[in-house]
Amino acid sequence: IVQTALLWTPPITTEGRLLAFCLIAVLSVLIVLNQIVPIFLALILAGPATALLTWLLLWMQEQRYVAALDRALPAAVGRLGAQLRSGSGIQPALEKVAADMSESPLKAEWTYIIAHFGTPLDGGMLATPQQVVAALLAQTTSRRHAALLGHMEVALGQTHDVLIRRMQAAYTALNAAEQRRSQASTELSQMRYSGI
């Protein structure tokens, strides 16, 4: 269970964009249903159809958010590992890496970690880095980032050299996965263009 002080909502979309999605969904549903069925039936069906269309648009935004987060992850984990190897603790290392990032979903999630170190929790205790990482692990939308956070949570309870080794292993694994994805994409493109 995530403590109330550590609750976080991923910035998948902005309020203005969500309002635009809702307006576009309700207007398009009403126009389409009005052409197909009588107006009374269109008004009855408009609510569920609008909700479904809004959910679909939000799901597409979430997929874009996760894809952007996953794309930024290998390079950021490599920089984080380099900062840790140079002797920085987890908080200064995250701060340096996040400061160098452009605005992105990964920067938002790592900024959440940095901002919540030492947050007062229920019972008067302060949030440890391990608790903050565990809270983000429970709330992130990316499976890759969740796997990294799981390793980071375990390593934060151990010595610094274990954290360094885990981040290096994560960086190696993320690079290997990215190379496999790129190779598969290249092979699919070659097959498409060759007509086989």
Side-chain angles (χ1 to χ4, degrees), residues 120-136:
L121 301 176
D122 299 338
M125 298 181 64
L126 297 179
T128 64
Q130 195 171 7
Q131 289 172 315
V132 176
V133 169
L136 183 59

Side-chain angles (χ1 to χ4, degrees), residues 5-6 80 84 88-96 98 109-121 125-136 149 152-153 156 163:
L6 297 178
L80 179 63
L84 291 170
S88 295
I90 187 66
Q91 185 171 0
L94 278 172
E95 288 172 353
K96 288 177 186 172
E109 295 204 5
W110 283 11
T111 303
Y112 161 85
I113 293 174
I114 296 163
H116 286 82
F117 283 152
T119 299
L121 301 176
M125 298 181 64
L126 297 179
T128 64
Q130 195 171 7
Q131 289 172 315
V132 176
V133 169
L136 183 59
L149 292 171
M152 191 183 295
E153 177 192 5
L156 284 171
L163 179 62

Side-chain angles (χ1 to χ4, degrees), residues 31-43:
I31 291 170
V32 169
L33 286 177
N34 191 30
Q35 300 296 323
I36 299 172
V37 295
I39 188 71
F40 179 71
L41 192 56
L43 288 174

Side-chain angles (χ1 to χ4, degrees), residues 45-170:
L45 295 175
T50 300
L52 182 64
L53 186 57
T54 304
W55 175 84
L56 180 65
L57 291 170
L58 284 174
W59 179 80
M60 289 171 29
Q61 285 293 310
E62 181 180 354
Q63 297 310 305
R64 288 181 56 205
Y65 177 89
V66 170
L69 196 150
D70 288 347
R71 266 193 319 273
L73 203 54
V77 170
R79 289 193 306 270
L80 179 63
Q83 288 292 330
L84 291 170
R85 277 193 308 277
S86 71
S88 295
I90 187 66
Q91 185 171 0
L94 278 172
E95 288 172 353
K96 288 177 186 172
V97 173
D100 292 339
M101 285 186 206
S102 60
E103 289 302 318
S104 66
L106 185 60
K107 181 174 184 168
E109 295 204 5
W110 283 11
T111 303
Y112 161 85
I113 293 174
I114 296 163
H116 286 82
F117 283 152
T119 299
L121 301 176
D122 299 338
M125 298 181 64
L126 297 179
T128 64
Q130 195 171 7
Q131 289 172 315
V132 176
V133 169
L136 183 59
L137 169 61
Q139 300 173 83
T140 188
T141 55
S142 169
R143 288 186 1 214
R144 280 180 142 186
H145 195 217
L148 173 71
L149 292 171
H151 288 291
M152 191 183 295
E153 177 192 5
V154 171
L156 284 171
Q158 299 175 4
T159 59
H160 190 72
D161 62 321
V162 173
L163 179 62
I164 293 170
R165 283 199 306 271
R166 283 203 180 226
M167 288 302 105
Q168 186 60 42

